[in-house]
Amino acid sequence: MSRIVVRPLVRPLQGSVPVPSDKSIGHRSLLFGALSRGACRVRGFSYGEDNVATLRAFRAMGVTIDDDGKGELTVHGVGLDGLCAPTSDLDCGNSGTTMRLLAGLLAAQPFSARLTGDASLSRRPMGRVARPLRARGASVEGAPHPTRKDEITAPLVVGPRPEGRLLAGLEYRMPMSSAQVKSALLLSGLYASDPTVLWEPLLSRDHTERMLSALGVPIDAAGTMVRLSPPSDRKIVPAFDVELPGDLSAAAFLLVAGAVVPGSAVTARGTGLNPSRAGILEILRSAGAALQIEPQGDVLGEPFGQVTVRGGALRAADVGGEVATRSIDEIPIACALAARSGGRTVFSDVGELRVKESDRIARVVEALRAFGLDAVEREEGLEVEGQPEGALRAARVASDGDHRIAMTACVLGLLGDGDTVVEDADCIATSFPRFVGTLRALGAELEVQT
Ligand code: S3P
């Protein structure tokens, strides 16, 4: 297991860097590529471990995926009814998106499959996807959750669909905003007898809706409601070509690093700008960071562009409500921003962080305290008192196997008064395999020790 030693910055961060391709869109490109009728080209694949778990799962279900090893894949779609029963477990690794989206897809197949995950994924709640899938007639069995009564977790055994019948239509008010649950239900809805209509409390990322719509699959999305009618044509998903946009969730670590170091100028190129994901840009602006966003186009309904941030004085600005939903994966790194902002930042409505790759509220508060900051846990949020001046106390942080905690600690380490050590840093490869190299390209000094 490797650790990263982060040296205090001696000069501001400078540079223009690419970011890994969007993880969420990467999963969905593989998935809809597999369900298409033709050869789909997916360019800019990141090889992040989460996306690779999805790739392996489709190969195990008989989908041929050519890989040139340089990020260009050709997915030979088998159509809605062409997947084969896997001969062994589908290992989703650390990836909740792989497990929940596959659960939706597998619920409608004529075979069953077993979905497994690593220790972190085997603690995450799966009842949220199992319950509505069962309500439409699917078979989804899970292991008892280690700490929560009435909750299940991985391994999941999903399918086969009821013999001789289609899954039923579904009208469902989701108890939480979740793109993984929404997408699982829409995927199963492609195989149902009647429409799928979903309402979320607040709109979660809408990549599935955008991709289906860009591929010509009729889907109505209005605010927090989405409606999908089962297609009559089994060749509904056409072959497509996509150059994946960059991942704003990965770019966020670089942008916050630039924002908290006065004199820095950091540009993330070709970054996804989907508004349902872009809350971090509003958080940066509210904190007073100088941002420049240059739209560059869109691909499969997804806007992307270049984002530049300049470091300077920051002020505390509370985060909650729909902005919190649109930046849920960025809250840990937004805490590093808060750590450098004058005043107390209150994060609310982020209870979902407790069931991510780790309990992110607990882990980020622990990390902030290790850097000498005043941070307090709340049931559904946290508070951070900023220290805008002077070096932070260098720290030793355990990531708990959570990539976003590890990367947040690395960014805080740049502000340390000595070397910061981030333990258990291999997890960064789940989403940002070139994180260390990219920070180095901006002028940071980090050492990887194995
Ligand atoms: C994702 C949805 C979000 C997000 C995750 C990726 C997706 O999870 O946190 O990193 O690609 O659909 P929830 O659906 O649990 O909100």
Side-chain angles (χ1 to χ4, degrees):
M1 211 129 33
S2 63
R3 69 162 71 101
I4 296 176
V5 180
V6 186
R7 316 253 181 249
L9 268 188
V10 287
R11 69 186 80 83
L13 296 168
Q14 295 284 340
S16 166
V17 286
V19 291
S21 59
D22 190 285
K23 186 154 77 76
S24 292
I25 303 174
H27 288 299
R28 287 158 174 85
S29 298
L30 290 166
L31 200 148
F32 289 117
L35 299 183
S36 79
R37 271 291 185 183
C40 299
R41 270 209 305 166
V42 178
R43 281 171 287 144
F45 188 68
S46 79
Y47 300 99
E49 286 166 3
D50 283 6
N51 277 169
V52 170
T54 296
L55 182 150
R56 289 208 182 105
F58 280 103
R59 281 189 174 150
M61 290 189 282
V63 180
T64 302
I65 304 177
D66 307 325
D67 174 6
D68 74 351
K70 289 183 276 188
E72 185 162 323
L73 309 179
T74 306
V75 184
H76 298 271
V78 295
L80 283 190
D81 299 309
L83 296 174
C84 302
T87 52
S88 54
D89 292 348
L90 299 176
D91 180 1
C92 304
N94 190 245
S95 176
T97 309
T98 305
M99 182 164 286
R100 295 195 178 117
L101 267 56
L102 284 184
L105 182 61
L106 287 164
Q109 304 305 313
F111 54 83
S112 78
R114 189 162 176 271
L115 298 167
T116 58
D118 69 5
S120 149
L121 189 51
S122 305
R123 286 191 300 266
R124 297 183 66 184
M126 293 295 150
R128 53 180 58 197
V129 74
R131 280 186 290 272
L133 285 171
R134 286 176 188 150
R136 70 187 329 171
S139 163
V140 185
E141 298 303 327
H145 191 275
T147 55
R148 295 170 164 221
K149 217 170 136 264
D150 302 326
E151 185 52 275
I152 59 164
T153 188
L156 292 183
V157 178
V158 187
R161 69 178 178 228
E163 218 184 309
R165 274 193 292 131
L166 293 172
L167 296 179
L170 183 70
E171 289 196 1
Y172 186 59
R173 288 189 183 276
M174 294 167 49
M176 75 294 285
S177 299
S178 164
Q180 294 174 351
V181 174
K182 175 172 63 174
S183 303
L185 298 175
L186 291 172
L187 283 165
S188 62
L190 289 171
Y191 298 81
S193 57
D194 290 288
T196 301
V197 191
L198 309 173
W199 293 266
E200 293 188 275
L202 293 167
L203 180 71
S204 65
R205 63 191 66 194
D206 60 358
H207 302 301
T208 301
E209 298 93 300
R210 282 175 186 249
M211 199 174 284
L212 282 171
S213 173
L215 294 174
V217 178
I219 179 164
D220 302 320
T224 56
M225 188 279 299
V226 59
R227 184 178 197 279
L228 174 81
S229 295
S232 45
D233 175 6
R234 307 307 287 166
K235 295 181 183 157
I236 185 80
V237 184
F240 58 87
D241 259 23
V242 62
E243 166 95 48
L244 297 170
D247 198 329
L248 182 56
S249 296
F253 294 97
L254 313 174
L255 295 172
V256 169
V260 296
V261 181
S264 294
V266 171
T267 298
R269 300 198 298 262
T271 298
L273 295 173
N274 178 329
S276 68
R277 281 281 293 287
I280 185 64
L281 299 179
E282 286 150 59
I283 294 173
L284 279 159
R285 277 224 165 96
S286 313
L291 267 191
Q292 202 184 328
I293 301 169
E294 292 167 46
Q296 291 174 310
D298 69 87
V299 57
L300 289 182
E302 296 283 350
F304 64 92
Q306 174 163 298
V307 185
T308 300
V309 71
R310 277 167 225 284
L314 300 165
R315 56 177 179 268
D318 293 346
V319 177
E322 59 91 29
V323 174
T325 302
R326 293 189 295 112
S327 60
I328 194 70
D329 288 347
E330 286 66 72
I331 301 298
I333 189 61
C335 288
L337 188 76
R340 242 7 195 177
S341 301
R344 195 169 186 85
T345 305
V346 179
F347 293 89
S348 43
D349 312 314
V350 294
E352 275 293 300
L353 292 180
R354 294 214 182 264
V355 290
K356 295 290 180 189
E357 286 84 327
S358 69
D359 176 344
R360 285 187 174 153
I361 294 183
R363 294 294 85 76
V364 83
V365 164
E366 245 168 47
L368 290 163
R369 287 186 179 158
F371 282 99
L373 291 148
D374 168 9
V376 188
E377 262 190 64
R378 303 279 176 231
E379 189 53 39
E380 307 240 322
L382 68 154
E383 293 180 17
V384 184
E385 185 70 40
Q387 185 192 312
E389 303 284 331
L392 303 179
R393 185 173 78 202
R396 179 174 285 269
V397 177
S399 73
D400 196 18
D402 186 329
H403 53 137
R404 300 200 203 280
I405 298 296
M407 289 189 277
T408 298
C410 287
V411 170
L412 285 166
L414 300 173
L415 305 167
D417 60 4
D419 290 359
T420 283
V421 178
V422 181
E423 302 281 6
D424 193 3
D426 295 324
C427 52
I428 290 174
T430 59
S431 66
F432 199 160
R434 295 192 186 148
F435 174 71
V436 167
T438 307
L439 265 186
R440 280 184 188 144
L442 294 172
E445 252 191 83
L446 299 91
E447 190 191 324
V448 180
Q449 297 179 343
T450 41

